[in-house]
Amino acid sequence: MSGTRRFTEEDIRPERLMQDQTRCQEEDRQYLLAHRREFVEVACPACGGKEPRPYFNKKEFDYQECTVCGTVYVNPRPSPELLEKFFEISKNYEYWNRHIFPASENVRREKIFRPRAERVRELARKHLRDARVLLEVGAGFGTFYEEMTALGFFEKIIAIEPSVELAQTCLARGLEVIPSTVEKVDLRGLRVDVAVSFEVIEHLFSPIDFIRVCGNVLCDGGLLILTCPNLRGLDLQILGHKASTFDYAHLNYF
């Protein structure tokens, strides 16, 4: 992996920008709460368990813990239709796209996305005889896509990005990005060798549907590579509900 120099929170979330980001985040939260009538009850998004226990309430969102597998999840939660509207108008994602990502991209590229691309190549080489097509769900600012392209390992890379602002940025950078949620994209006929999704599955209404979609397009023996916050992560264990990872945009904590 490239680079060994440590980087700090300031490198990827400049403090001078975070106050306005917090304001945008609060506007988004209020938008969702104003549409609470569109929230729906769900079973455990991991195992389907239907006997949760209360976990806590944070900023008017209820979190429950599955008594079967221990997953914590927001319940009730915004419906798929509401989430789709939210991704279209989110002030927070717009702010990240216009300010935080551009200000921190060089460090993110060197310390996060280049090593991540190299790791994906390593896994593909280890587990697949031939890897030609990669699907990225949640392209964000497009930096991983660019780093993966620079490696020249895959013949074709396709990405999906639900945030309209971020998708437009990716398209402007010449990347092949579909501006939609993965659940609504028609992927029939597409066969991919590797599907990747970084810090996305915690945002999804139905992670099971997401995995099913990926499974339908993966070739035999293909790889699905995911990253997401972990309920047993150090920050969540120490800070509990005060951890910033617990917020309205994260629906699932595996």
Side-chain angles (χ1 to χ4, degrees), residues 80-93:
E81 295 77 17
L82 177 57
L83 285 176
E84 183 176 357
K85 295 177 189 175
F86 170 72
F87 285 128
E88 291 177 357
I89 58 88
S90 168
K91 299 294 186 182
N92 185 42
Y93 289 127

Side-chain angles (χ1 to χ4, degrees), residues 36-244:
R36 188 187 286 276
R37 65 185 181 279
E38 298 177 50
F39 284 23
V40 295
E41 295 278 348
V42 296
C44 172
C47 74
K50 297 182 179 180
E51 296 183 4
R53 54 180 166 236
Y55 200 68
F56 57 68
N57 177 285
K58 183 174 181 180
K59 294 186 176 180
E60 301 182 68
F61 284 79
D62 291 318
Y63 296 77
Q64 298 180 339
E65 182 181 22
C66 177
T67 55
V68 178
C69 71
T71 295
V72 170
Y73 55 102
V74 173
N75 195 31
R77 60 181 53 192
S79 68
E81 295 77 17
L82 177 57
L83 285 176
E84 183 176 357
K85 295 177 189 175
F86 170 72
F87 285 128
E88 291 177 357
I89 58 88
S90 168
K91 299 294 186 182
N92 185 42
Y93 289 127
E94 177 183 339
Y95 189 82
W96 275 84
N97 180 53
R98 297 188 180 188
H99 301 285
I100 300 177
F101 282 144
S104 62
E105 185 178 27
N106 289 341
V107 174
R108 289 173 180 272
R109 183 183 298 277
E110 178 189 356
K111 298 301 180 182
I112 299 175
F113 293 110
R114 186 168 298 151
R116 186 172 280 176
E118 292 169 352
R119 178 60 172 158
V120 169
R121 178 180 63 179
E122 175 187 334
L123 290 169
R125 281 177 170 169
K126 179 179 180 181
H127 296 286
L128 300 174
R129 290 184 178 180
D130 188 24
R132 298 182 180 182
V133 180
L134 179 139
L135 172 67
E136 181 185 10
V137 181
F141 201 62
T143 313
F144 171 80
Y145 191 126
E146 290 185 336
E147 286 302 308
M148 203 73 249
T149 299
L151 291 178
F153 184 73
F154 291 95
E155 294 178 3
K156 186 177 183 64
I157 301 175
I158 304 169
I160 297 171
E161 173 51 53
S163 166
V164 173
E165 278 271 338
L166 288 167
Q168 289 175 345
T169 293
C170 290
L171 291 169
R173 298 173 86 162
L175 310 181
E176 186 175 343
V177 174
I178 303 170
S180 178
T181 59
V182 66
E183 294 86 356
K184 294 196 71 174
V185 176
D186 184 0
L187 297 174
R188 288 174 295 181
L190 177 66
R191 301 300 289 173
V192 305
D193 303 289
V194 180
V196 300
S197 186
F198 307 113
E199 286 71 63
V200 169
I201 197 168
E202 67 271 20
H203 297 267
L204 301 179
F205 179 85
S206 177
I208 292 175
D209 287 343
F210 163 76
I211 291 174
R212 185 176 295 114
V213 168
C214 292
N216 288 339
V217 300
L218 280 175
C219 65
D220 291 342
L223 298 180
L224 173 60
I225 301 172
L226 304 173
T227 63
C228 66
N230 188 328
L231 187 64
R232 307 305 177 201
L234 184 62
D235 58 336
L236 298 187
Q237 289 192 56
I238 292 177
L239 298 175
H241 73 278
K242 294 182 180 180
S244 60

